Amino acid sequence: WLVIDRKVYDVSKFSKHHPGGSRVISHYAGQDATDAFVAFHNDKSLVKKYLKSLLIGELAPDQPSFESNKKKSLLEDFRELRCTIEKMGLLRPNYTFFFLIFLHLLVLDAASWLVVWYFGISFVPFVVGMAFFTIAQIQMGWFQHDLGHCSVFRKPKWNRILQIVVINVLKGLPASWWNHLHNQHHAKPNCFRKDPDLNMHPLLFSLGKTLSVEVSRGTAGEAKISKTRSYRVRASCLQLAHYNVFSFFSSEKRRRSSCLTITSISISSVS
């Protein structure tokens, strides 16, 4: 079960048929998922029709409608800010901007191959072509990212179609794989064992002493969880792992790990 707008829903069976994947829902099992629900669903009126059959009750008046590890005043400020941004129309897409983005990445990708084809594979043409190709691939990654968030078109269908063209055809990666992982990342950002961006190989990609300690602490926390039946102890251990691993994401440490993070993502996309 999970909570949305103080209403409790039994999603045990529905999670297997959830379009966004079962893991996104399972990450909020026994928690308040209101903010995630708002962020992930554009057409909330349509989704709420499916929620009616899953409703099993409401929170008691004395129960908070937010996660225990979050500050109520800060959460309310963010919710108010989001409503203000939506009313101002700042989340509406600019079709001209995205058209130019798509056009310029196609031009760069074509130019990279044409340079090598026309001038040969000597050093200078190869470097120029590689530069064009690298820039195009990076731009494709961010463009398909916006498509994966359904931020380009109002209808999710058109976002999915163009995302498949960009990431499947032009980049050679499966869109379903990326969406599955990235949805979990935004559902539980920087939360150890729940955010796939942190699920790097513990031996090859745990850089320095900091992350190694956080991984060991998280593992120890899970060991404690398996030995108790108390839900509160389970939650406290998970929160401990969450706060420990969060310290890994400082600016200095991210610069050191960015290269191997990209390598880890490339390996996981194949495996």
Side-chain angles (χ1 to χ4, degrees):
W1 58 269
L2 50 77
V3 179
I4 299 175
D5 291 330
R6 301 193 61 83
K7 295 183 179 179
V8 184
Y9 298 93
D10 183 359
V11 294
S12 302
K13 296 181 179 179
F14 174 77
S15 62
K16 300 178 182 179
H17 307 284
H18 182 232
S22 60
R23 288 191 179 183
V24 177
I25 291 184
S26 64
H27 290 337
Y28 278 93
Q31 300 178 17
D32 187 284
T34 302
D35 295 300
F37 175 80
V38 173
F40 278 96
H41 303 94
N42 293 330
D43 192 352
K44 300 172 185 59
S45 59
L46 176 63
V47 179
K48 286 183 177 180
K49 294 181 180 179
Y50 295 92
L51 289 177
K52 291 181 179 179
S53 60
L54 306 177
L55 182 65
I56 58 175
E58 295 187 11
L59 289 179
D62 59 334
Q63 292 293 321
S65 59
F66 55 90
E67 296 180 56
S68 58
N69 61 335
K70 293 183 178 180
K71 191 175 181 180
K72 181 180 179 181
S73 58
L74 183 62
L75 188 61
E76 291 175 347
D77 288 343
F78 271 106
R79 289 176 178 177
E80 183 180 353
L81 176 62
R82 179 182 177 86
C83 293
T84 303
I85 291 175
E86 289 180 341
K87 291 178 180 179
M88 294 175 64
L90 298 180
L91 298 182
R92 286 197 292 266
N94 186 325
Y95 295 115
T96 303
F97 169 79
F98 285 114
F99 172 76
L100 293 176
I101 289 291
F102 185 50
L103 180 63
H104 104 276
L105 64 85
L106 290 178
V107 171
L108 285 173
D109 190 63
S112 66
W113 296 102
L114 288 174
V115 167
V116 176
W117 173 77
Y118 186 80
F119 295 100
I121 56 174
S122 57
F123 180 74
V124 174
F126 178 78
V127 171
V128 174
M130 183 176 62
F132 285 158
F133 184 78
T134 302
I135 296 173
Q137 287 292 309
I138 294 174
Q139 292 295 325
M140 288 177 192
W142 288 114
F143 183 55
Q144 74 83 27
H145 172 273
D146 292 339
L147 291 166
H149 280 283
C150 297
S151 301
V152 179
F153 301 103
R154 292 185 178 180
K155 292 186 177 181
K157 176 183 177 181
W158 298 113
N159 287 283
R160 300 304 183 200
I161 292 175
L162 189 55
Q163 184 192 25
I164 290 174
V165 172
V166 175
I167 189 172
N168 286 48
V169 179
L170 298 178
K171 288 186 66 67
L173 294 172
S176 58
W177 164 81
W178 186 90
N179 291 330
H180 174 67
L181 296 181
H182 201 65
N183 285 342
Q184 296 180 65
H185 162 68
H186 279 285
K188 289 289 183 178
N190 295 331
C191 188
F192 188 51
R193 300 298 189 192
K194 292 187 177 182
D195 183 352
D197 286 9
L198 302 183
N199 293 341
M200 297 184 291
H201 194 284
L203 298 179
L204 298 179
F205 301 105
S206 294
L207 300 184
K209 298 179 179 180
T210 304
L211 182 57
S212 301
V213 171
E214 313 310 349
V215 171
S216 64
R217 287 180 180 176
T219 305
E222 289 187 349
K224 293 179 181 179
I225 291 172
S226 62
K227 295 179 181 180
T228 180
R229 295 182 180 180
S230 172
Y231 176 80
R232 292 185 177 179
V233 174
R234 177 189 295 264
S236 63
C237 289
L238 289 176
Q239 290 171 14
L240 175 63
H242 170 79
Y243 286 121
N244 285 337
V245 79
F246 187 80
S247 63
F248 168 71
F249 280 85
S250 64
S251 299
E252 179 182 357
K253 298 183 182 68
R254 290 195 73 165
R255 285 196 296 271
R256 291 184 296 173
S257 65
S258 59
C259 181
L260 289 183
T261 300
I262 295 173
T263 307
S264 176
I265 293 174
S266 300
I267 294 175
S268 65
S269 67
V270 176
S271 60

